[in-house]
Amino acid sequence: MILSTGRLDARRTLPVTLLVIVVIGGTLLLYTRPAVLTPASRQLIKSIFPSPNLVASHEHETDKQKTNSLGSTPCKRNLSFSSVPLPLTALASVQGSGNTWVRHLLHQLTGIYTGSVYSDRQTVSRGFLGEGVRDGTVVAIKTHRVEKEHPYDRAILIIRNPYDAIFAEFNRQGSRSHVGVAPFRAYIQRWNSFTTNFQRRWLTFHEEWMTFKKPLLLIVYENLVVSLPEHLQKMAEFIKHPSLKINISCALADSTGHFRRVDKMASFKDEVLSADLVKTMNSNIKAVQKMFRKKFPKVAEAMSSWLKNARNY
Ligand SMILES: *[C@@H]1O[C@H](CO)[C@@H](O)[C@H](O)[C@H]1NC(C)=O
Ligand SMILES: *[C@@H]1O[C@H](CO)[C@@H](O)[C@H](O)[C@H]1NC(C)=O
């Protein structure tokens, strides 16, 4: 009797169990199923998230002592805040243009912290204790802002080929996010709005900074990479102050930012740049070129090499 009841129950519960399995299984499948992505998007995802263990990192890792370019002993300066008020120096750039690297170089150059208009906890954890500080105790103040009111006495402006900056920033944001299928998909879906915003910001940022009337040192990221000593010299002269103990060899000995990430996206960048985006970005470059022509003729001329050939799209 007990046995037959058991059999009867089993017969009754089997369909229910099967239904539950199908529902749960189906839900799981639906959830984990990769989004419908173009091959280019797939590649992009792979390059942005090369391994599940990818640690969030900035484009230029400064906290890890890798090799150093001159083969000399790494020079790690003890950083402090300036006890003597320094002129307010903006370190202005669009995102993805080497701002963090230049901050590191300034640290090594002066032994004084750089500040920032932002307070990024992750940056603090990497030893950039000047996050959020924007007074005379820091040697320069990071800003990505388009600022109508400039509270600064002088500015270091870093400019980079926007086609590189856009990928650098996308990559940085990507490596910060958690790894998983859903974020991947969400991330790729953000590409269009990301690029629309980025290109617009790139233009207005430079337009705005060209209205800055006080001393301005323009640094072209690409040039900084190829001739670091010359640029450190320029920066040193620009920021010099009686209270600063500038050491160029120290900055050179630990210029870890000099080691650029391998450009994993190089082969398919063109695939994710739409014809419209290229058109807009080229016209942005030309607009900035025009603005720079008077004050920085050499830089303006060199910007022509940034233009992408629209015929390929
Ligand atoms: C930094 O500080 C440590 C400990 O106070 C000291 O041993 C070291 O020599 C200092 N380094 C420099 C470059 O001043
Ligand atoms: C600069 O730093 C180097 C270490 O890289 C040190 O040997 C040298 O004495 C420093 N120079 C000055 C002027 O402090």
Side-chain angles (χ1 to χ4, degrees):
M1 191 60 197
I2 291 161
L3 211 77
S4 79
T5 310
R7 233 181 265 143
L8 196 73
D9 281 349
R11 248 179 253 133
R12 268 187 201 155
T13 52
L14 189 66
V16 178
T17 312
L18 278 175
L19 190 72
V20 168
I21 288 172
V22 166
V23 168
I24 291 176
T27 310
L28 276 176
L29 224 107
L30 218 92
Y31 183 71
T32 54
R33 194 190 54 174
V36 184
L37 296 171
T38 64
S41 306
R42 253 181 251 280
Q43 274 268 217
L44 189 62
I45 289 170
K46 263 203 227 154
S47 72
I48 293 170
F49 308 100
S51 87
N53 301 323
L54 186 75
V55 178
S57 66
H58 278 69
E59 192 181 8
H60 297 288
E61 286 195 17
T62 55
D63 44 359
K64 271 183 210 148
Q65 300 296 305
K66 295 179 189 168
T67 7
N68 80 63
S69 55
L70 304 181
S72 52
T73 21
C75 174
K76 194 92 192 155
R77 285 192 82 157
N78 291 332
L79 299 179
S80 64
F81 290 96
S82 177
S83 50
V84 177
L86 298 169
L88 292 189
T89 307
L91 181 60
S93 75
V94 165
Q95 288 89 339
S97 303
N99 200 303
T100 306
W101 179 29
V102 173
R103 286 179 74 182
H104 169 70
L105 292 174
L106 288 171
H107 289 167
Q108 290 296 111
L109 204 55
T110 64
I112 302 294
Y113 282 113
T114 56
S116 173
V117 299
Y118 314 101
S119 251
D120 180 10
R121 256 195 287 164
Q122 203 176 357
T123 310
V124 172
S125 72
R126 296 168 64 236
F128 285 53
L129 303 188
E131 279 301 282
V133 180
R134 39 180 131 164
D135 56 25
T137 63
V138 290
V139 69
I141 301 151
K142 164 190 169 170
T143 179
H144 296 313
R145 287 188 188 153
V146 176
E147 300 186 71
K148 290 237 185 320
E149 307 277 322
H150 296 286
Y152 309 104
D153 301 311
R154 55 191 186 184
I156 299 172
L157 177 66
I158 317 167
I159 186 168
R160 184 181 190 183
N161 181 341
Y163 286 107
D164 294 328
I166 206 166
F167 282 102
E169 177 58 9
F170 191 65
N171 195 8
R172 188 188 67 81
Q173 287 187 9
S175 51
R176 264 189 185 185
S177 76
H178 292 281
V179 179
V181 173
F184 284 0
R185 189 167 24 175
Y187 202 67
I188 282 303
Q189 282 166 351
R190 276 186 40 218
W191 173 250
N192 282 343
S193 60
F194 171 85
T195 52
T196 304
N197 290 332
F198 190 97
Q199 61 80 8
R200 199 178 294 144
R201 206 168 56 239
W202 192 85
L203 180 61
T204 46
F205 180 87
H206 295 103
E207 276 174 349
E208 208 51 66
W209 275 98
M210 276 301 98
T211 67
F212 188 68
K213 295 286 186 291
K214 293 169 197 167
L216 185 137
L217 175 68
L218 179 68
I219 290 185
V220 180
Y221 176 89
E222 289 79 4
N223 297 344
L224 181 64
V225 171
V226 296
S227 53
L228 189 57
E230 182 196 319
H231 282 79
L232 286 172
Q233 191 70 52
K234 271 190 202 167
M235 276 197 266
E237 265 160 41
F238 188 74
I239 59 169
K240 77 169 178 249
H241 187 269
S243 76
L244 289 177
K245 292 184 185 68
I246 287 175
N247 190 331
I248 291 176
S249 62
C250 194
L252 271 172
D254 187 6
S255 59
T256 46
H258 200 45
F259 298 87
R260 294 193 294 164
R261 260 193 198 171
V262 180
D263 191 354
K264 298 183 200 106
M265 291 193 259
S267 58
F268 59 93
K269 268 180 179 171
D270 289 349
E271 292 180 61
V272 291
L273 291 170
S274 70
D276 276 350
L277 182 59
V278 169
K279 211 172 139 192
T280 314
M281 281 175 64
N282 277 350
S283 94
N284 289 351
I285 292 171
K286 284 178 189 162
V288 171
Q289 219 175 357
K290 210 170 161 187
M291 292 187 295
F292 277 31
R293 203 156 272 152
K294 210 167 173 188
K295 228 169 162 183
F296 309 103
K298 269 193 200 156
V299 173
E301 201 187 319
M303 275 184 201
S304 295
S305 67
W306 291 355
L307 296 168
K308 273 203 182 288
N309 192 339
R311 278 177 306 181
N312 300 334
Y313 295 88

